[in-house]
């Protein structure tokens, strides 16, 4: 475990994530042609000097055709497509489209290098490309210039295809001569093509008129993103596991969207959220799907996706019930049927005799933990959108770990401290944003109630764990659910029957969803998936929950996507990831991912 490696990895993905912002501003401010001509005049000189001083430029004659292909089609095509594409498309949308590059690399490798596509890749490819279609289709309808927007999206997508060709075709050369020599020579050849092709007499006038900001942006892309970030990636990847390093790459398009919104004031649309989520999901399936067990892998994948999707939609359904009925009524409608069903299950499966002291523990966990969680969450959701609630619920793993330290004697690790700190920053961002920039239905008090409710779930989880191990998880969970439902008569008034009679089909559908799909079916699917895949892989899918909640709130309830939601949600998810996966980081050497190193050009 090396905190310095973690810091270096965060630095790298932030640098690469912010890169599209400066690609966008340079292409808009200077024009894509002058942008590339000026940039590669500098890059060409640097790499020509490096090759002259340190060598590495000699290759065999039979390898020159392959080198020219990756330089002229791969490297040059990538830079032309990205520079001219970002002149027409926002940094956020471009970042998400760039996120498809791992899929394009897998597809290109199967066509050119005859590498076999795995079943996971065959599933991930259509999911990721569907995300691109939704991304472009939904934002095309609101674009002021649809032709320019479509052209820009196409150029950036083709730039990813060009980079995929570079990665696949260059592989034998890199194995023979090393990544440094091939990268330097291909960049030098690319510079020799781009500068005379795009440079014009007016380019010198552009250089003379460039403000300091443009020079800084150019230096960021050419030096920080190219050289410094590549070095920091190599240094950090050599000290972390391959899985840990690879997981950081999913932050790059998210950072690109957030940077576009914060730095350039770009509007984050529902199409970007929906399409971006599908793109990242497709890449995740293609990359990690083959780690599922062969037997029943599709069923396990479907089960875990079903579970996290259902859990992610619970805040959406509860928000609807809370606002349409009341917090007390919504809570009773959720807990009464669930408690009754739990009793039926216990009677059916049976439970062995429980000691009195264990009954006390179950009662405390149920009333102080679960009931407290349900009450605070229900009343908090009255003034907090479902998208915000779903992200705050993402804090639960951190609070579970914290209360395990306080109540069960678990060890307090530096990673847990760091995770709590980062996730609390995310919560503070939500609260600060909700108070300074009200977004219709967000209150500071409601945010506090929802946040405290997650602590209740942490108490419940830690308190119930010893008796669940002793008597079985299912019987104890059912008993706890039944006890939690016992105080519900105190929360409903005499008008409760009239409220039930007046409920429409949508409200009853929401109740049925929460009780049946969100509770019992989702839990059963999760347990089924855990029996057929690694726990570490299943744990990664839990990060889909807050994303589903945000998407559900935006798409189903018409909630707004705002900067506090983006910033706070990103910090909460990052904090939970630090607390959960930080201890898994070990010294394992890993080469830099070729699909990520494209930012270095």
């Amino acid at each position: 475990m090396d905190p310095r490696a973690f810091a270096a990895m965060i630095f790298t993905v932030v640098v690469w994530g912010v890169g599209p912002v400066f690609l966008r501003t340079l292409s808009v401010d200077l024009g894509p042609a002058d942008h590339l001509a000026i940039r590669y005049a500098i890059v060409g000189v640097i790499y020509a000097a490096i090759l002259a001083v340190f060598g590495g430029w000699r290759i065999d004659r039979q390898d020159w055709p392959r080198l020219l292909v990756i330089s002229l089609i791969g490297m040059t095509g990538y830079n032309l497509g990205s520079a001219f594409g970002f002149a027409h498309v926002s940094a956020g949308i471009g970042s998400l489209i760039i996120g498809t590059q791992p899929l394009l690399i897998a597809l290109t490798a199967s066509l050119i290098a005859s590498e076999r596509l795995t079943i996971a890749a065959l599933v991930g490819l259509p999911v990721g490309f569907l995300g691109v279609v939704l991304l472009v289709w939904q934002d095309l309808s609101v674009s002021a210039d649809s032709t320019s927007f479509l052209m820009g999206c196409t150029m950036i997508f083709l730039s990813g295809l060009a980079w995929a060709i570079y990665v696949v075709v260059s592989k034998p050369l890199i194995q023979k001569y090393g990544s440094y020599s091939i990268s330097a020579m291909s960049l030098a050849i690319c510079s020799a093509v781009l500068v005379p092709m795009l440079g014009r007499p007016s380019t010198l006038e552009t250089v003379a008129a460039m403000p300091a900001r443009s020079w800084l942006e150019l230096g960021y892309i050419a030096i920080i993103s190219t050289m410094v970030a590549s070095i920091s990636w190599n240094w950090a990847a050599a000290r972390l596991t391959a899985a840990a390093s690879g997981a950081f790459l999913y932050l790059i398009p998210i950072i690109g969207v957030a940077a576009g919104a914060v730095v350039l004031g770009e509007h984050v649309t529902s199409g970007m959220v929906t399409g971006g989520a599908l793109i990242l999901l497709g890449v995740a399936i293609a990359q990690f799907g083959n780690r599922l067990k062969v037997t029943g892998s599709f069923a396990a994948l479907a089960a875990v996706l079903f579970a996290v999707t259902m859990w992610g939609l619970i805040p959406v359904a509860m928000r609807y019930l809370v606002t349409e009925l009341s917090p007390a009524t919504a809570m009773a409608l959720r807990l009464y049927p669930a408690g009754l069903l739990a009793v039926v299950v216990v009677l059916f499966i049976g439970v062995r005799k429980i000691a009195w002291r264990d009954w006390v523990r179950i009662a405390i966990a149920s009333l102080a933990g679960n009931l407290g969680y349900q009450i605070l969450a229900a009343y908090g959701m009255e003034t907090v959108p479902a998208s915000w609630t779903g992200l705050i619920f993402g804090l639960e793993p951190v609070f579970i770990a914290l209360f395990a330290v306080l109540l069960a004697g678990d060890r307090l690790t530096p990673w847990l401290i760091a995770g709590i700190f980062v996730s609390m920053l995310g919560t503070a961002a939500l609260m600060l944003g909700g108070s300074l920039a009200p977004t219709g239905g967000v209150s500071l008090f409601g945010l506090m109630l929802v946040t405290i409710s997650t602590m209740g779930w942490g108490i419940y989880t830690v308190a119930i764990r010893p008796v669940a191990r002793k008597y079985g998880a299912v019987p104890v969970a059912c008993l706890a659910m039944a006890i939690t439902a016992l105080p519900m008569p105190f929360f409903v008034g005499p008008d409760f029957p009239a409220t039930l009679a007046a409920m429409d089909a949508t409200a009853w559908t929401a109740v049925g969803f929460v009780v049946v799909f969100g509770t019992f079916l989702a839990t059963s699917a999760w347990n089924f998936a855990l029996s057929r895949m690694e726990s570490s892989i299943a744990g990664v899918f839990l990060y889909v929950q807050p994303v589903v909640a945000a998407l559900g709130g935006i798409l189903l309830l018409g909630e707004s996507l705002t900067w506090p939601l983006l910033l706070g949600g990103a910090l909460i998810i990052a904090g939970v990831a630090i607390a959960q996966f930080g201890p898994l980081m070990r010294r394992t050497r890993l080469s830099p991912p070729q699909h990520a190193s494209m930012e270095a050009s």
Side-chain angles (χ1 to χ4, degrees), residues 166-489:
Y166 177 92
V167 170
V168 174
V169 178
S170 67
K171 187 175 181 179
L173 296 178
I174 291 175
Q175 292 173 340
K176 185 175 181 179
Y177 300 101
S179 60
Y180 158 74
S181 296
I182 298 304
S183 297
M185 293 191 68
S186 60
L187 281 168
I189 294 173
C190 177
S191 302
V193 173
L194 288 178
V195 174
M197 181 175 69
L198 301 177
R200 301 161 294 177
S202 60
T203 303
L204 296 177
E205 299 175 5
T206 301
V207 173
M210 279 176 61
R213 173 185 168 181
S214 295
W215 283 111
L216 290 174
E217 292 170 347
L218 204 61
Y220 180 96
I221 295 296
I223 298 176
I224 297 179
S225 182
T226 299
M227 300 179 181
V228 178
S230 295
I231 293 172
S232 63
W233 169 271
N234 291 332
W235 189 87
R239 290 160 175 80
L240 304 177
T241 64
S245 299
F248 279 98
L249 295 175
Y250 290 89
L251 295 175
I252 293 177
I254 299 174
I255 293 171
V257 172
V262 174
V263 178
L264 302 180
E266 296 176 351
H267 181 58
V268 181
T269 65
S270 61
M272 293 173 64
V273 175
T274 307
L278 283 175
I279 289 171
L280 294 179
L281 177 61
V283 174
I285 292 173
Q287 287 189 322
F288 297 112
N290 59 351
R291 295 182 65 179
L292 299 173
K293 292 182 179 179
V294 176
T295 303
S297 61
F298 278 115
L301 179 61
V304 74
L305 287 175
F306 172 82
V308 297
T309 301
M310 295 301 102
W311 287 338
L313 289 175
I314 283 180
V316 179
M318 286 299 295
R319 166 70 172 174
Y320 175 81
L321 291 173
V322 164
T323 54
E324 290 294 316
L325 305 174
S326 70
T329 302
M331 184 170 53
L333 287 172
R334 178 183 184 182
L335 296 182
Y336 263 140
L340 179 61
L341 189 57
V343 171
V344 172
V345 172
V346 167
L347 292 176
F348 179 78
I349 65 174
V351 59
R352 59 193 179 91
K353 187 177 179 180
I354 298 177
W356 279 108
R357 60 183 180 183
D358 292 329
W359 272 114
V360 173
R361 178 179 284 272
I362 294 173
I364 293 175
S366 304
L367 299 177
N370 194 22
L371 182 61
Y373 159 73
Q374 301 287 350
I375 294 172
L376 293 173
Y379 282 91
M381 279 190 276
E382 191 174 21
T383 55
V384 177
S387 52
W388 294 53
T389 300
L391 290 173
I392 296 175
F393 280 172
L395 289 168
E396 288 173 358
V398 172
F399 284 126
I400 290 172
L402 177 61
F403 283 109
V405 172
L406 298 177
L407 303 178
D410 286 7
R411 190 170 64 90
L412 181 64
T413 66
W415 291 107
L416 178 57
I417 296 174
I420 293 173
F421 176 75
V422 174
S423 59
M424 287 299 101
L425 285 180
T427 307
L430 288 176
M431 293 183 177
L432 184 63
S435 59
L436 296 182
T439 55
V442 182
S443 76
L444 180 60
F445 181 67
L447 288 170
M448 293 177 63
L449 288 179
V450 175
T451 303
I452 297 172
S453 76
T454 62
M455 298 183 186
W457 186 255
I459 294 173
Y460 168 82
T461 303
V462 174
I464 208 74
R465 182 164 49 187
V467 289
R469 290 175 176 173
K470 186 175 181 180
Y471 300 101
V474 175
V476 170
C478 289
L479 290 173
M481 181 62 68
I483 295 173
T484 301
L486 288 177
M488 285 302 101

Side-chain angles (χ1 to χ4, degrees), residues 31-279:
D34 283 350
H35 160 209
L36 284 177
I38 298 170
R39 176 177 154 198
Y40 273 89
I42 299 172
V43 170
V45 171
I46 292 174
Y47 277 97
I50 290 175
L51 287 171
V53 173
F54 297 101
W57 53 271
R58 292 183 176 87
I59 67 171
D60 296 335
R61 179 179 300 178
Q62 65 268 22
D63 292 327
W64 268 100
R66 185 178 290 269
L67 177 64
L68 292 176
V69 167
I70 66 171
S71 302
L72 302 179
I73 297 178
M75 186 70 72
T76 303
Y78 162 73
N79 282 283
L80 287 172
S82 61
F84 282 86
F86 274 111
H88 302 283
V89 173
S90 68
I93 291 178
S95 298
L96 293 174
I97 296 176
I98 287 174
T100 63
Q101 286 186 353
L103 301 177
L104 291 172
I105 291 171
L107 184 61
T108 304
S110 68
L111 297 176
I112 296 178
S114 299
E115 293 185 10
R116 189 175 66 88
L117 283 175
T118 64
I119 295 177
L122 291 173
V123 175
L125 283 168
V127 173
F129 292 144
L130 176 61
V132 177
V133 173
L134 290 178
L135 172 69
V136 175
W137 183 266
Q138 293 191 27
D139 286 275
L140 185 63
S141 60
V142 298
S143 176
D145 187 350
S146 57
T147 302
S148 175
F149 175 80
L150 187 59
M151 182 184 301
C153 291
T154 303
M155 287 180 177
I156 293 178
F157 185 80
L158 291 177
S159 75
L161 181 60
W163 185 256
I165 293 173
Y166 177 92
V167 170
V168 174
V169 178
S170 67
K171 187 175 181 179
L173 296 178
I174 291 175
Q175 292 173 340
K176 185 175 181 179
Y177 300 101
S179 60
Y180 158 74
S181 296
I182 298 304
S183 297
M185 293 191 68
S186 60
L187 281 168
I189 294 173
C190 177
S191 302
V193 173
L194 288 178
V195 174
M197 181 175 69
L198 301 177
R200 301 161 294 177
S202 60
T203 303
L204 296 177
E205 299 175 5
T206 301
V207 173
M210 279 176 61
R213 173 185 168 181
S214 295
W215 283 111
L216 290 174
E217 292 170 347
L218 204 61
Y220 180 96
I221 295 296
I223 298 176
I224 297 179
S225 182
T226 299
M227 300 179 181
V228 178
S230 295
I231 293 172
S232 63
W233 169 271
N234 291 332
W235 189 87
R239 290 160 175 80
L240 304 177
T241 64
S245 299
F248 279 98
L249 295 175
Y250 290 89
L251 295 175
I252 293 177
I254 299 174
I255 293 171
V257 172
V262 174
V263 178
L264 302 180
E266 296 176 351
H267 181 58
V268 181
T269 65
S270 61
M272 293 173 64
V273 175
T274 307
L278 283 175
I279 289 171

Side-chain angles (χ1 to χ4, degrees), residues 521-532:
L521 292 182
T523 302
S524 300
W526 176 261
N527 292 335
F528 173 83
L530 284 180
S531 67
R532 288 162 173 79

